[in-house]
Amino acid sequence: MARVLVREQGAGTRSVPPVAAPESAAWARGLLDGGWAAVFLPGEPARLGRLLLWQPAGATAAEGMAPVDVEAEAAELVLPHGRSVRRHRVEGYALPVALAVAALSGAQPPHPSAAAWRAASRFALRLLADGRLHPAITPAGYDTWQAGPFTAAQRRTLDALAAAFPPHAHCLPEPGRAGPR
């Protein structure tokens, strides 16, 4: 991750710390490259959402202790079970959005869910670079960033991303439902 240098008249050179600690991003990138799955846990407001990395069968174990800015977390997911699906509690590591984007940007994740979130984060960064994010207010009254308006090409890309998202990338149970869906 690059550092931004800010020069103030007469103050010399100061550097601004990166949004995500490089050591934390490297640790999370190791999980992603080791085959860990990823699912987004929404937050209210949305900026409090986190990307949960969890270890499916066949993925390598986490190396070392989790960095201080990464929390261990458990979540209930709806996962395949034979010819059906079943709710299953998984344990993993919850990454704040800035750390998730930093880790995903340099990862080559083999798990389809993590690869999908990598593509989504890259698309979000392109929208940011294109000036397609603007401030807004959520229905609950929180300040937020909203994407849009989209060009026709951006809309097609967004639709293709959504259609290509594998079930493991969005396998949270529907709120208020007793059975898995």
Side-chain angles (χ1 to χ4, degrees):
M1 176 154 296
R3 287 186 173 248
V4 176
L5 296 178
V6 178
R7 293 185 191 264
E8 292 180 347
Q9 207 171 39
T13 302
R14 297 187 305 162
S15 65
V16 175
V19 175
E23 305 81 29
S24 299
W27 184 85
R29 196 174 305 113
L31 297 181
L32 291 162
D33 290 342
W36 284 52
V39 64
F40 189 74
L41 304 175
E44 184 62 36
R47 66 178 161 271
L48 297 180
R50 296 161 334 277
L51 189 70
L52 179 71
L53 302 183
W54 57 279
Q55 185 181 13
T60 60
E63 291 186 23
M65 292 184 58
V68 297
D69 50 351
V70 175
E71 296 179 15
E73 186 159 335
E76 187 175 56
L77 304 177
V78 177
L79 299 172
H81 183 79
R83 296 177 63 170
S84 184
V85 293
R86 199 178 265 176
R87 288 179 186 240
H88 185 71
R89 189 166 183 78
V90 300
E91 294 187 15
Y93 298 100
L95 309 180
V97 172
L99 176 55
V101 171
L104 286 165
S105 68
Q108 296 295 325
H111 196 277
S113 65
W117 282 109
R118 178 178 184 242
S121 70
R122 286 182 167 202
F123 180 63
L125 290 173
R126 281 196 304 274
L127 290 176
L128 178 63
D130 290 345
R132 297 292 177 176
L133 293 180
H134 54 89
I137 300 292
T138 68
Y142 293 106
D143 58 303
T144 190
W145 289 97
Q146 188 171 34
F150 299 117
T151 65
Q154 290 166 335
R155 174 56 64 193
R156 285 190 300 273
T157 300
L158 182 60
D159 291 343
L161 267 174
F165 249 58
H168 279 83
H170 57 95
C171 55
L172 294 175
E174 287 186 28
R177 286 188 123 11
R181 288 192 42 108

